[in-house]
Amino acid sequence: MRRDVVRDGVRGAVAVVLAAAVLTGCGEEKKPGASAAPSSPAKPSPTSGSGAAAAKAGGAVGSAGSACALPATFDLAAKWKPKPVAAEAADSPLAGLAKQGPFTLACEIDAKPAGHIGFLRAWTITTTSGTPRAALESFVGADKNARKPAYQEIKGGSLPATEVAYETYSKVMDASKQEHALAVVTPKGTLVLHLGGLDTQEHQEMLPAYELAKSSLKATR
């Protein structure tokens, strides 16, 4: 069956799967003795030097007046749509989905208009000190399904940054998938950019958009 046909069917099922994930808890426990083979490499590595095709820029986000005000600005791939994330009430069943460790979800950049199933998400905290590595470790460490993290010190555009590639196991999907994230610390706060995706194949197809954002990072003025 053609993958684009499968993809269309998956889009209709994604909302159901995500709803089930909310009902069973944002972070699922790792499945003991799971027999499913990881869909990403045993030792994932950061994307630098991966040779991924370049993404065409389609705007930027992060500065005042853009869709999402963030501690850093970066370019968006064509057709990817940014949307600010409103804070949920503390007693809302969705409140936990907008927090990961000390970070709060500030912006979701949707890949569906570009033909992919996934998001580039911007998570922020007001902290202006500390290292990108410590910030990123606190973010990844708060995901109890994260495993096999591989960290690397890099440059995110003009900023010192730390990047990580890792896997997460989803009990709902009964599979592992690859994830990437990076952190930068700026005078206006700390930013984590995270790229997920429905599965590892979708994730890899979206990596050029992540690379574009990474290479264009600048501290917000």
Side-chain angles (χ1 to χ4, degrees):
M1 183 180 293
R2 287 175 51 196
R3 189 164 181 269
D4 55 351
V5 175
V6 174
R7 186 180 274 165
D8 288 342
V10 168
R11 283 203 181 97
V14 167
V16 176
V17 172
L18 293 180
V22 170
L23 292 175
T24 55
C26 181
E28 295 289 347
E29 293 290 344
K30 295 176 185 176
K31 189 173 183 178
S35 59
S39 55
S40 53
K43 292 183 179 180
S45 60
T47 60
S48 299
S50 65
K56 183 179 179 180
V61 72
S63 62
S66 67
C68 305
L70 301 167
T73 67
F74 52 91
D75 291 341
L76 302 177
K79 298 183 180 180
W80 285 54
K81 300 300 181 184
K83 181 180 179 181
V85 177
E88 294 285 342
D91 58 352
S92 168
L94 300 178
L97 297 177
K99 295 286 292 185
Q100 185 161 325
F103 290 88
T104 300
L105 182 58
C107 189
E108 285 190 327
I109 302 155
D110 191 357
K112 285 195 294 297
H116 303 294
I117 304 171
F119 294 88
L120 179 62
R121 291 186 168 100
W123 301 74
T124 62
I125 190 173
T126 57
T127 302
T128 58
S129 60
T131 65
R133 175 68 176 255
L136 194 55
E137 287 179 342
S138 69
F139 177 82
V140 175
D143 184 349
K144 59 186 176 182
N145 294 314
R147 58 189 183 186
K148 301 180 182 178
Y151 291 91
Q152 178 173 289
E153 309 308 312
I154 64 166
K155 290 286 283 186
S158 61
L159 302 172
T162 299
E163 183 177 42
V164 64
Y166 61 104
E167 295 175 0
T168 55
Y169 175 78
S170 168
K171 188 174 182 180
V172 173
M173 302 294 288
D174 192 24
S176 294
K177 63 177 181 174
Q178 192 175 62
E179 316 249 345
H180 279 85
L182 65 86
V184 293
V185 180
T186 81
K188 291 193 174 182
T190 299
L191 170 73
V192 166
L193 279 182
H194 170 261
L195 180 70
L198 179 69
D199 54 30
T200 292
Q201 184 172 351
E202 287 285 354
H203 177 86
Q204 291 173 346
E205 290 178 0
M206 296 188 296
L207 280 174
Y210 168 84
E211 286 289 328
L212 174 64
K214 178 174 73 174
S215 67
S216 59
L217 277 165
K218 297 178 183 178
T220 303
R221 295 182 178 179

